[in-house]
Amino acid sequence: MAGPDTLSLMLGEEERNRRIEQAIAELKLDYAERVTESRRTPAVPAKTAPFPQDLRPDLRDALRQRGVTSLFTHQVETYRRALAGENVVITTPTASGKTLCYNLPVLQRLLCDAEARAIYLFPTKALSRDQMAELHGIVGIQGLKEEGETGGAGDEEPLAPLAALGAYVYDGDTPQDRRRAVRQHARIVISNPDMLHAGILPHHTKWTNLFQNLRFVVLDELHQYRGVFGSHLANVMRRLRRVCAFYGTQPTYIASSATIANARELAEKLLEAPVSLIDESGAPRGEKEIALYNPPVVEPRLGLRRSHLAETVDLAERFIRRGLQTIVFARSRLHVEVLARELQERLPRHPVESPLVRPYRGGYLPKERRALETALKNGELRAIVSTNALELGIDIGSLDVAIISGFPGTIASFWQQAGRAGRRSTTSAAILVATSSPLDQFLVRHPDYFFGASPEQALIHPDNLLILYAHVRCAAFELPFQSGESFGAEDLEGILAFLEEQGVLHFKNGKWFWTEDSYPADHVSLRTVTSDNFVVVDQAGGGDGKPQIIGEVDFSSAPTTLHEKAIYLHGGVEYQVESLDWVGRKAYVRRVRSDYFTDAITYTKVKILDVFAEERSIRRALVEHRGQAAVTMAHGEVHVVSQVVGFKKIKFNTMENVGAGDVTLPENEKHTTAFWLTLESSLWEDLPFGRAELIDGLLGMATLLHTLAPLILLCDALDIGVTVGEDAEGWCEPLGRGLPSARLRPVQTSADADPAAFRPTLFLYDSFPGGMGLAETLYVQHQRLVRDAVARLQECECEHGCPSCVGPINWSGARSKAVATRLLERLAAILAGRHDEPVPSSWR
């Protein structure tokens, strides 16, 4: 391995390509048994076109000053369609010039029409400020200072008409004393959906000049708007169209997206208008080596593999020591901090107090995130470990290697993360390091499926009643609703009548008027169930010893991250949570030296509220046996109650479980939709398994189905929850094991008294309140889900169970795999309508 002297990043393109090729060759040679597949995407030449004839001369000159003498074909097509008034969505690869696709028509229109205005919406603040710098680079000025003032001149003399275009960021970090200037002078308002929702639309009367002259709305990173966030945004767009109609404007929408299966459909659902798709890229692309890496088995009998985190650290160190700038993506904030900490300990510091590797994730303060982005772009950092926060198009320079530690949940996310390494002419590498989860193991063992898989569909449900109701309130605050007006597909007048009964609205002369003093948008978060985030307070603080806020955690993550005695990692430093103020939304921490981190244990129970309409075939017995249904499939509404009840202590280097503890936190409740299977005793009564073994098998079966479901749903694994329970006074109490000792109680089931009365139910429920349609899709695709689970069990080489199928034996039980295999094989045969093996003759 190369020594520290190779850490210099002052490499030419030829030397950089040579080092990457050498590193890839050594990787394949040294770890031949671990690299299950390696494929190279070839370089692609550019397809260019001349500047459009109607492009203004000053805009041509500005582009030439930046070295742009022609355009890619997809940029020209977007320019023509957008200026013709078509709504468009561009889905081309990373670094293909999508930014210029929308900047060009917007600048052209604004230069030709002195009153025209535009809104740019980005999913994150960091991306907003990064793209503002790009826009100011085109118009010939350096950009704005933090306070909103114009900076000094750039290397090139600004072109007067372009320099006069006011482009300003307007978000939560914009100082109050600068906001009036932005409202008055901005011709391009750069913001995010959250600020549009809470800071612009409710105060549209202060933005009359913007809305009276709004010509374009840009939606960047469209693929991020899925699930709850996308469903909220669709309603924000409904509100935006209402306000625009009030001011007599109908803007054109330009969206850009990573490659997803339904970009046009998603855009049309968000905008509720026709959209043209532009998906053929004219940009060049360098060669990229993509490797699938499976950590080695360290305990064959148990099927245990070496930790994917340890393997990721080893791989990253190899590339960093070769002077190759590397980005490592991890699936959770905890893993980001663990990986960064390990790499910082292995690599020298240069200068002495400055680490070569830094973590990057949500929860850091804005100033800290921007400093990290700049350091990475300038080459001051050799590597960065990030959550998917850097998956987006923030300009972090041209990196050499992307290591994805664990499948990121979707094929589209993988290609986005892989695309952060390499640019248009250089060779790059992307490595997927598989975890032991069944999903990851399925993908690295089926490379043809992985490389040939269609990108996912982004699903949204704008008419989710909880979300719709919240935005009807916001819309009514902005403008009165009129009789006969529509807002989504649901019965608007019914919602308005309900709000009138609540005293929120007043009906007069055919209109509903807002009557409360409250400000509804301030209480609606677009990204989470609640807008109440927790702040993390270091009690020791800085050098003055005063308490200091060091981070922020969203409400849904707080119970698992900030419970008392949790190890909270920030910047590679360990803090222990000493107390959690649930009401005040504050966690008080103190810096410690710890050789372990904590992993929360959650207890979940479910209550079935409604089985949906019969005409939708929501509930039906699939097979009759001895007068009983062997299995019942259903889809409906459920009430889910979850509570963090304990935690495990996991050693940093070995990932050993070295202890546990109890936690007492409030319950979290939500109504959502679920797909469930209720299993009758006829499915297992002749199998040679005891009651405890049967429960172990059911839990292992749930683990497997839950981890394979994203392959069918084309969603993130976190979007789906799972629990197995048995009916107890209306609630399905969980049958799970492994709770801390203080919470352990014997698993009492009806099987203890009457085995025939034992009717366990396995729930796969939508993680979002109200549901996003995922559970219904599982109901429709349940036969495929069971079939895939059987295939995974049959090809897994472990003897009794492992993390790659039903879970490790010390968690799932010695016979969990055997029980789950027999149950799923029978279930697959029943669902397929077969009466051949593996169904025993007694069933015929």
Side-chain angles (χ1 to χ4, degrees), residues 747-802:
V747 179
Q748 300 291 335
T749 72
S750 56
D752 296 315
D754 179 9
F758 182 41
R759 299 178 67 248
T761 301
L762 188 157
F763 292 91
L764 291 168
Y765 57 87
D766 202 312
S767 296
F768 306 118
M772 291 291 122
L774 302 179
E776 184 176 7
T777 303
L778 275 183
Y779 173 75
V780 173
Q781 296 285 336
H782 59 257
Q783 188 170 335
R784 177 188 164 190
L785 177 64
V786 172
R787 188 172 64 246
D788 287 352
V790 172
R792 176 83 278 270
L793 284 169
Q794 290 174 344
E795 69 183 11
C796 188
E797 299 169 355
C798 72
E799 185 176 349
H800 298 295
C802 70

Short mmCIF file of all heavy atoms in Angstrom, two decimals, residues 747-802:
data_model
loop_
_atom_site.label_atom_id
_atom_site.label_comp_id
_atom_site.label_asym_id
_atom_site.label_seq_id
_atom_site.Cartn_x
_atom_site.Cartn_y
_atom_site.Cartn_z
N VAL A 747 -43.18 -14.73 26.51
CA VAL A 747 -44.06 -14.55 25.37
C VAL A 747 -45.28 -15.44 25.56
O VAL A 747 -45.23 -16.65 25.37
CB VAL A 747 -43.34 -14.90 24.05
CG1 VAL A 747 -44.28 -14.72 22.88
CG2 VAL A 747 -42.11 -14.03 23.89
N GLN A 748 -46.38 -14.87 26.01
CA GLN A 748 -47.60 -15.62 26.24
C GLN A 748 -48.49 -15.52 25.00
O GLN A 748 -48.86 -14.44 24.58
CB GLN A 748 -48.35 -15.06 27.46
CG GLN A 748 -47.55 -15.13 28.75
CD GLN A 748 -47.37 -16.55 29.24
OE1 GLN A 748 -48.16 -17.43 28.92
NE2 GLN A 748 -46.30 -16.79 30.00
N THR A 749 -48.81 -16.63 24.42
CA THR A 749 -49.67 -16.64 23.24
C THR A 749 -50.77 -17.66 23.45
O THR A 749 -50.72 -18.51 24.34
CB THR A 749 -48.88 -17.04 21.98
OG1 THR A 749 -48.58 -18.44 22.05
CG2 THR A 749 -47.60 -16.26 21.86
N SER A 750 -51.79 -17.57 22.60
CA SER A 750 -52.88 -18.54 22.68
C SER A 750 -52.40 -19.94 22.38
O SER A 750 -53.04 -20.92 22.73
CB SER A 750 -54.00 -18.13 21.72
OG SER A 750 -53.48 -18.00 20.40
N ALA A 751 -51.23 -20.04 21.73
CA ALA A 751 -50.69 -21.36 21.44
C ALA A 751 -50.34 -22.11 22.71
O ALA A 751 -50.31 -23.34 22.73
CB ALA A 751 -49.45 -21.25 20.56
N ASP A 752 -50.09 -21.38 23.81
CA ASP A 752 -49.77 -22.05 25.07
C ASP A 752 -50.97 -22.83 25.60
O ASP A 752 -50.81 -23.86 26.24
CB ASP A 752 -49.33 -21.01 26.11
CG ASP A 752 -48.04 -20.32 25.68
OD1 ASP A 752 -47.12 -21.01 25.23
OD2 ASP A 752 -47.98 -19.09 25.79
N ALA A 753 -52.17 -22.29 25.36
CA ALA A 753 -53.37 -22.97 25.85
C ALA A 753 -54.00 -23.84 24.78
O ALA A 753 -54.42 -24.97 25.04
CB ALA A 753 -54.38 -21.92 26.34
N ASP A 754 -54.09 -23.33 23.56
CA ASP A 754 -54.74 -24.06 22.47
C ASP A 754 -54.00 -23.75 21.18
O ASP A 754 -54.21 -22.69 20.59
CB ASP A 754 -56.21 -23.64 22.37
CG ASP A 754 -56.93 -24.36 21.22
OD1 ASP A 754 -56.34 -25.28 20.63
OD2 ASP A 754 -58.08 -23.99 20.93
N PRO A 755 -53.13 -24.64 20.71
CA PRO A 755 -52.35 -24.36 19.50
C PRO A 755 -53.22 -24.00 18.30
O PRO A 755 -52.83 -23.18 17.48
CB PRO A 755 -51.59 -25.67 19.27
CG PRO A 755 -51.53 -26.31 20.63
CD PRO A 755 -52.79 -25.95 21.31
N ALA A 756 -54.40 -24.57 18.20
CA ALA A 756 -55.26 -24.29 17.04
C ALA A 756 -55.79 -22.86 17.07
O ALA A 756 -56.21 -22.34 16.03
CB ALA A 756 -56.42 -25.28 17.01
N ALA A 757 -55.77 -22.23 18.26
CA ALA A 757 -56.30 -20.87 18.37
C ALA A 757 -55.25 -19.81 18.09
O ALA A 757 -55.56 -18.63 18.06
CB ALA A 757 -56.88 -20.66 19.77
N PHE A 758 -54.01 -20.23 17.91
CA PHE A 758 -52.91 -19.29 17.68
C PHE A 758 -52.99 -18.77 16.24
O PHE A 758 -52.84 -19.53 15.29
CB PHE A 758 -51.59 -20.00 17.94
CG PHE A 758 -50.37 -19.13 17.77
CD1 PHE A 758 -50.35 -17.82 18.23
CD2 PHE A 758 -49.22 -19.62 17.17
CE1 PHE A 758 -49.23 -17.02 18.09
CE2 PHE A 758 -48.09 -18.84 17.02
CZ PHE A 758 -48.11 -17.53 17.49
N ARG A 759 -53.23 -17.47 16.06
CA ARG A 759 -53.37 -16.86 14.74
C ARG A 759 -52.46 -15.63 14.66
O ARG A 759 -52.92 -14.50 14.77
CB ARG A 759 -54.82 -16.47 14.46
CG ARG A 759 -55.79 -17.63 14.48
CD ARG A 759 -57.23 -17.18 14.25
NE ARG A 759 -57.44 -16.67 12.90
CZ ARG A 759 -57.71 -15.39 12.62
NH1 ARG A 759 -57.74 -14.49 13.58
NH2 ARG A 759 -57.90 -15.01 11.36
N PRO A 760 -51.18 -15.85 14.48
CA PRO A 760 -50.26 -14.70 14.40
C PRO A 760 -50.49 -13.91 13.12
O PRO A 760 -50.91 -14.45 12.10
CB PRO A 760 -48.88 -15.35 14.41
CG PRO A 760 -49.10 -16.69 13.80
CD PRO A 760 -50.47 -17.13 14.26
N THR A 761 -50.18 -12.62 13.21
CA THR A 761 -50.33 -11.73 12.05
C THR A 761 -49.02 -11.00 11.81
O THR A 761 -48.43 -10.45 12.75
CB THR A 761 -51.46 -10.72 12.28
OG1 THR A 761 -52.68 -11.44 12.49
CG2 THR A 761 -51.63 -9.81 11.07
N LEU A 762 -48.58 -10.98 10.59
CA LEU A 762 -47.37 -10.27 10.18
C LEU A 762 -47.79 -9.01 9.44
O LEU A 762 -48.50 -9.07 8.44
CB LEU A 762 -46.52 -11.18 9.28
CG LEU A 762 -45.12 -10.70 8.89
CD1 LEU A 762 -44.25 -11.90 8.51
CD2 LEU A 762 -45.14 -9.72 7.72
N PHE A 763 -47.38 -7.86 9.96
CA PHE A 763 -47.73 -6.57 9.37
C PHE A 763 -46.51 -5.95 8.68
O PHE A 763 -45.42 -5.88 9.24
CB PHE A 763 -48.19 -5.59 10.46
CG PHE A 763 -49.49 -5.92 11.10
CD1 PHE A 763 -49.53 -6.70 12.25
CD2 PHE A 763 -50.69 -5.46 10.58
CE1 PHE A 763 -50.73 -7.02 12.86
CE2 PHE A 763 -51.89 -5.77 11.18
CZ PHE A 763 -51.92 -6.55 12.33
N LEU A 764 -46.70 -5.48 7.47
CA LEU A 764 -45.77 -4.58 6.79
C LEU A 764 -46.54 -3.29 6.57
O LEU A 764 -47.49 -3.25 5.78
CB LEU A 764 -45.30 -5.18 5.46
CG LEU A 764 -44.39 -6.41 5.58
CD1 LEU A 764 -44.24 -7.09 4.22
CD2 LEU A 764 -43.03 -6.02 6.12
N TYR A 765 -46.16 -2.25 7.31
CA TYR A 765 -46.97 -1.03 7.30
C TYR A 765 -46.18 0.16 6.74
O TYR A 765 -44.96 0.21 6.81
CB TYR A 765 -47.49 -0.71 8.70
CG TYR A 765 -46.44 -0.53 9.76
CD1 TYR A 765 -45.84 0.71 9.99
CD2 TYR A 765 -46.06 -1.59 10.57
CE1 TYR A 765 -44.88 0.88 10.96
CE2 TYR A 765 -45.09 -1.43 11.56
CZ TYR A 765 -44.51 -0.19 11.75
OH TYR A 765 -43.55 -0.02 12.71
N ASP A 766 -46.93 1.08 6.19
CA ASP A 766 -46.35 2.31 5.65
C ASP A 766 -45.85 3.17 6.79
O ASP A 766 -46.58 3.44 7.74
CB ASP A 766 -47.43 3.05 4.85
CG ASP A 766 -46.88 4.00 3.84
OD1 ASP A 766 -45.99 4.79 4.21
OD2 ASP A 766 -47.32 3.97 2.69
N SER A 767 -44.58 3.60 6.71
CA SER A 767 -44.00 4.38 7.80
C SER A 767 -44.59 5.77 7.91
O SER A 767 -44.45 6.42 8.95
CB SER A 767 -42.48 4.50 7.61
OG SER A 767 -41.86 3.24 7.69
N PHE A 768 -45.27 6.25 6.88
CA PHE A 768 -45.78 7.62 6.88
C PHE A 768 -47.23 7.63 7.35
O PHE A 768 -48.03 6.83 6.90
CB PHE A 768 -45.70 8.23 5.48
CG PHE A 768 -44.33 8.16 4.88
CD1 PHE A 768 -44.10 7.46 3.72
CD2 PHE A 768 -43.26 8.78 5.49
CE1 PHE A 768 -42.84 7.38 3.16
CE2 PHE A 768 -41.99 8.71 4.95
CZ PHE A 768 -41.79 8.01 3.78
N PRO A 769 -47.59 8.54 8.25
CA PRO A 769 -48.98 8.64 8.68
C PRO A 769 -49.92 8.82 7.49
O PRO A 769 -49.64 9.61 6.58
CB PRO A 769 -48.98 9.90 9.57
CG PRO A 769 -47.58 10.00 10.07
CD PRO A 769 -46.71 9.51 8.95
N GLY A 770 -50.99 8.07 7.48
CA GLY A 770 -51.94 8.14 6.38
C GLY A 770 -51.59 7.26 5.21
O GLY A 770 -52.45 6.92 4.40
N GLY A 771 -50.32 6.86 5.09
CA GLY A 771 -49.90 5.96 4.03
C GLY A 771 -49.59 6.66 2.73
O GLY A 771 -50.18 7.70 2.40
N MET A 772 -48.65 6.10 1.98
CA MET A 772 -48.24 6.64 0.68
C MET A 772 -48.54 5.66 -0.46
O MET A 772 -48.04 5.80 -1.56
CB MET A 772 -46.74 6.94 0.68
CG MET A 772 -46.34 8.08 1.57
SD MET A 772 -46.93 9.66 0.93
CE MET A 772 -47.91 10.22 2.30
N GLY A 773 -49.34 4.62 -0.19
CA GLY A 773 -49.66 3.65 -1.22
C GLY A 773 -48.76 2.44 -1.27
O GLY A 773 -48.93 1.56 -2.11
N LEU A 774 -47.75 2.38 -0.39
CA LEU A 774 -46.79 1.28 -0.42
C LEU A 774 -47.44 -0.03 0.02
O LEU A 774 -47.20 -1.09 -0.56
CB LEU A 774 -45.60 1.60 0.46
CG LEU A 774 -44.82 2.88 0.12
CD1 LEU A 774 -43.67 3.07 1.10
CD2 LEU A 774 -44.30 2.82 -1.31
N ALA A 775 -48.25 0.03 1.07
CA ALA A 775 -48.87 -1.19 1.58
C ALA A 775 -49.81 -1.81 0.55
O ALA A 775 -49.88 -3.04 0.40
CB ALA A 775 -49.62 -0.88 2.88
N GLU A 776 -50.54 -0.99 -0.15
CA GLU A 776 -51.45 -1.51 -1.18
C GLU A 776 -50.67 -2.20 -2.29
O GLU A 776 -51.09 -3.24 -2.81
CB GLU A 776 -52.29 -0.37 -1.74
CG GLU A 776 -53.33 -0.84 -2.75
CD GLU A 776 -54.23 0.28 -3.22
OE1 GLU A 776 -53.95 1.45 -2.87
OE2 GLU A 776 -55.20 0.00 -3.93
N THR A 777 -49.51 -1.62 -2.67
CA THR A 777 -48.68 -2.25 -3.69
C THR A 777 -48.19 -3.62 -3.21
O THR A 777 -48.16 -4.58 -3.98
CB THR A 777 -47.47 -1.35 -4.02
OG1 THR A 777 -47.95 -0.07 -4.45
CG2 THR A 777 -46.61 -1.97 -5.10
N LEU A 778 -47.82 -3.73 -1.95
CA LEU A 778 -47.40 -5.02 -1.40
C LEU A 778 -48.53 -6.03 -1.45
O LEU A 778 -48.30 -7.21 -1.73
CB LEU A 778 -46.93 -4.85 0.04
CG LEU A 778 -45.47 -4.44 0.27
CD1 LEU A 778 -45.18 -4.40 1.75
CD2 LEU A 778 -44.52 -5.39 -0.44
N TYR A 779 -49.74 -5.58 -1.18
CA TYR A 779 -50.88 -6.49 -1.24
C TYR A 779 -51.05 -7.05 -2.65
O TYR A 779 -51.24 -8.25 -2.84
CB TYR A 779 -52.16 -5.78 -0.80
CG TYR A 779 -53.38 -6.62 -1.01
CD1 TYR A 779 -53.66 -7.68 -0.14
CD2 TYR A 779 -54.24 -6.39 -2.08
CE1 TYR A 779 -54.76 -8.48 -0.34
CE2 TYR A 779 -55.34 -7.19 -2.28
CZ TYR A 779 -55.61 -8.23 -1.41
OH TYR A 779 -56.69 -9.03 -1.61
N VAL A 780 -50.92 -6.19 -3.63
CA VAL A 780 -51.06 -6.63 -5.02
C VAL A 780 -49.92 -7.56 -5.41
O VAL A 780 -50.11 -8.52 -6.16
CB VAL A 780 -51.11 -5.39 -5.95
CG1 VAL A 780 -51.10 -5.83 -7.42
CG2 VAL A 780 -52.33 -4.54 -5.65
N GLN A 781 -48.71 -7.32 -4.88
CA GLN A 781 -47.52 -8.07 -5.28
C GLN A 781 -47.11 -9.12 -4.24
O GLN A 781 -45.96 -9.58 -4.27
CB GLN A 781 -46.35 -7.08 -5.48
CG GLN A 781 -46.55 -6.09 -6.60
CD GLN A 781 -46.37 -6.72 -7.96
OE1 GLN A 781 -45.71 -7.75 -8.10
NE2 GLN A 781 -46.99 -6.14 -8.97
N HIS A 782 -48.02 -9.54 -3.36
CA HIS A 782 -47.61 -10.42 -2.26
C HIS A 782 -47.07 -11.77 -2.75
O HIS A 782 -46.19 -12.35 -2.13
CB HIS A 782 -48.77 -10.64 -1.29
CG HIS A 782 -49.99 -11.25 -1.90
ND1 HIS A 782 -51.10 -10.51 -2.20
CD2 HIS A 782 -50.27 -12.52 -2.26
CE1 HIS A 782 -52.02 -11.30 -2.73
NE2 HIS A 782 -51.54 -12.52 -2.78
N GLN A 783 -47.57 -12.26 -3.87
CA GLN A 783 -47.10 -13.56 -4.36
C GLN A 783 -45.63 -13.48 -4.75
O GLN A 783 -44.83 -14.38 -4.43
CB GLN A 783 -47.94 -14.00 -5.56
CG GLN A 783 -47.64 -15.42 -6.02
CD GLN A 783 -48.66 -15.90 -7.04
OE1 GLN A 783 -49.79 -15.43 -7.08
NE2 GLN A 783 -48.26 -16.85 -7.88
N ARG A 784 -45.24 -12.40 -5.40
CA ARG A 784 -43.83 -12.22 -5.77
C ARG A 784 -42.96 -12.08 -4.53
O ARG A 784 -41.85 -12.61 -4.47
CB ARG A 784 -43.68 -11.00 -6.68
CG ARG A 784 -42.23 -10.72 -7.04
CD ARG A 784 -42.07 -9.41 -7.78
NE ARG A 784 -40.68 -8.98 -7.79
CZ ARG A 784 -40.27 -7.78 -8.20
NH1 ARG A 784 -41.15 -6.89 -8.64
NH2 ARG A 784 -39.00 -7.46 -8.17
N LEU A 785 -43.45 -11.36 -3.52
CA LEU A 785 -42.68 -11.16 -2.30
C LEU A 785 -42.36 -12.50 -1.63
O LEU A 785 -41.22 -12.75 -1.24
CB LEU A 785 -43.46 -10.25 -1.34
CG LEU A 785 -42.83 -9.99 0.02
CD1 LEU A 785 -41.51 -9.24 -0.12
CD2 LEU A 785 -43.78 -9.18 0.91
N VAL A 786 -43.36 -13.35 -1.53
CA VAL A 786 -43.14 -14.66 -0.91
C VAL A 786 -42.20 -15.51 -1.76
O VAL A 786 -41.30 -16.20 -1.24
CB VAL A 786 -44.49 -15.37 -0.69
CG1 VAL A 786 -44.27 -16.82 -0.23
CG2 VAL A 786 -45.33 -14.61 0.33
N ARG A 787 -42.37 -15.46 -3.07
CA ARG A 787 -41.51 -16.24 -3.97
C ARG A 787 -40.05 -15.80 -3.86
O ARG A 787 -39.13 -16.64 -3.80
CB ARG A 787 -42.01 -16.07 -5.40
CG ARG A 787 -41.33 -16.99 -6.41
CD ARG A 787 -42.01 -16.91 -7.78
NE ARG A 787 -41.90 -15.59 -8.37
CZ ARG A 787 -42.93 -14.78 -8.59
NH1 ARG A 787 -44.16 -15.16 -8.27
NH2 ARG A 787 -42.75 -13.59 -9.14
N ASP A 788 -39.79 -14.49 -3.79
CA ASP A 788 -38.42 -14.00 -3.65
C ASP A 788 -37.82 -14.43 -2.31
O ASP A 788 -36.62 -14.72 -2.21
CB ASP A 788 -38.40 -12.47 -3.76
CG ASP A 788 -38.62 -11.98 -5.19
OD1 ASP A 788 -38.65 -12.81 -6.10
OD2 ASP A 788 -38.78 -10.76 -5.36
N ALA A 789 -38.64 -14.45 -1.26
CA ALA A 789 -38.15 -14.86 0.05
C ALA A 789 -37.73 -16.32 0.04
O ALA A 789 -36.70 -16.68 0.63
CB ALA A 789 -39.23 -14.62 1.11
N VAL A 790 -38.52 -17.18 -0.61
CA VAL A 790 -38.15 -18.59 -0.71
C VAL A 790 -36.82 -18.74 -1.45
O VAL A 790 -35.93 -19.50 -1.02
CB VAL A 790 -39.26 -19.39 -1.42
CG1 VAL A 790 -38.80 -20.83 -1.72
CG2 VAL A 790 -40.53 -19.41 -0.58
N ALA A 791 -36.64 -18.00 -2.53
CA ALA A 791 -35.39 -18.08 -3.30
C ALA A 791 -34.19 -17.65 -2.46
O ALA A 791 -33.12 -18.27 -2.51
CB ALA A 791 -35.50 -17.22 -4.55
N ARG A 792 -34.35 -16.60 -1.65
CA ARG A 792 -33.24 -16.12 -0.82
C ARG A 792 -32.85 -17.17 0.22
O ARG A 792 -31.67 -17.41 0.48
CB ARG A 792 -33.66 -14.82 -0.12
CG ARG A 792 -32.64 -14.26 0.86
CD ARG A 792 -31.57 -13.44 0.17
NE ARG A 792 -30.49 -14.23 -0.40
CZ ARG A 792 -29.38 -14.57 0.22
NH1 ARG A 792 -29.19 -14.21 1.48
NH2 ARG A 792 -28.45 -15.25 -0.38
N LEU A 793 -33.84 -17.83 0.81
CA LEU A 793 -33.56 -18.86 1.80
C LEU A 793 -32.86 -20.06 1.17
O LEU A 793 -31.94 -20.63 1.76
CB LEU A 793 -34.86 -19.30 2.48
CG LEU A 793 -35.44 -18.34 3.52
CD1 LEU A 793 -36.84 -18.78 3.90
CD2 LEU A 793 -34.55 -18.26 4.73
N GLN A 794 -33.30 -20.43 -0.01
CA GLN A 794 -32.73 -21.62 -0.65
C GLN A 794 -31.29 -21.40 -1.09
O GLN A 794 -30.49 -22.34 -1.10
CB GLN A 794 -33.60 -22.03 -1.84
CG GLN A 794 -34.96 -22.59 -1.42
CD GLN A 794 -35.87 -22.86 -2.60
OE1 GLN A 794 -35.63 -22.38 -3.72
NE2 GLN A 794 -36.93 -23.62 -2.37
N GLU A 795 -30.92 -20.16 -1.44
CA GLU A 795 -29.56 -19.93 -1.91
C GLU A 795 -28.62 -19.49 -0.80
O GLU A 795 -27.41 -19.48 -0.98
CB GLU A 795 -29.55 -18.87 -3.02
CG GLU A 795 -29.88 -17.46 -2.55
CD GLU A 795 -29.94 -16.46 -3.69
OE1 GLU A 795 -29.94 -16.90 -4.86
OE2 GLU A 795 -30.00 -15.25 -3.40
N CYS A 796 -29.15 -19.15 0.38
CA CYS A 796 -28.28 -18.75 1.49
C CYS A 796 -27.55 -19.98 2.01
O CYS A 796 -28.15 -21.02 2.28
CB CYS A 796 -29.10 -18.10 2.60
SG CYS A 796 -28.08 -17.37 3.89
N GLU A 797 -26.24 -19.87 2.18
CA GLU A 797 -25.40 -21.02 2.51
C GLU A 797 -25.32 -21.32 4.00
O GLU A 797 -24.71 -22.32 4.39
CB GLU A 797 -23.99 -20.78 1.96
CG GLU A 797 -23.97 -20.62 0.44
CD GLU A 797 -22.63 -20.12 -0.08
OE1 GLU A 797 -21.77 -19.82 0.78
OE2 GLU A 797 -22.46 -20.02 -1.30
N CYS A 798 -25.90 -20.49 4.86
CA CYS A 798 -25.81 -20.72 6.29
C CYS A 798 -26.63 -21.95 6.68
O CYS A 798 -27.51 -22.40 5.95
CB CYS A 798 -26.28 -19.50 7.07
SG CYS A 798 -28.06 -19.23 7.02
N GLU A 799 -26.35 -22.46 7.87
CA GLU A 799 -27.02 -23.68 8.32
C GLU A 799 -28.29 -23.37 9.11
O GLU A 799 -29.33 -24.00 8.90
CB GLU A 799 -26.05 -24.50 9.18
CG GLU A 799 -26.61 -25.86 9.61
CD GLU A 799 -25.57 -26.67 10.37
OE1 GLU A 799 -24.38 -26.27 10.37
OE2 GLU A 799 -25.95 -27.69 10.97
N HIS A 800 -28.21 -22.43 10.03
CA HIS A 800 -29.34 -22.21 10.94
C HIS A 800 -29.93 -20.80 10.85
O HIS A 800 -30.92 -20.52 11.53
CB HIS A 800 -28.89 -22.45 12.38
CG HIS A 800 -28.44 -23.86 12.64
ND1 HIS A 800 -29.30 -24.93 12.54
CD2 HIS A 800 -27.23 -24.36 12.98
CE1 HIS A 800 -28.63 -26.04 12.83
NE2 HIS A 800 -27.37 -25.73 13.07
N GLY A 801 -29.34 -19.94 10.08
CA GLY A 801 -29.80 -18.56 10.02
C GLY A 801 -28.64 -17.60 10.15
O GLY A 801 -27.66 -17.89 10.84
N CYS A 802 -28.72 -16.48 9.47
CA CYS A 802 -27.64 -15.50 9.49
C CYS A 802 -28.21 -14.14 9.12
O CYS A 802 -29.37 -14.04 8.71
CB CYS A 802 -26.53 -15.91 8.52
SG CYS A 802 -26.99 -15.76 6.77
#
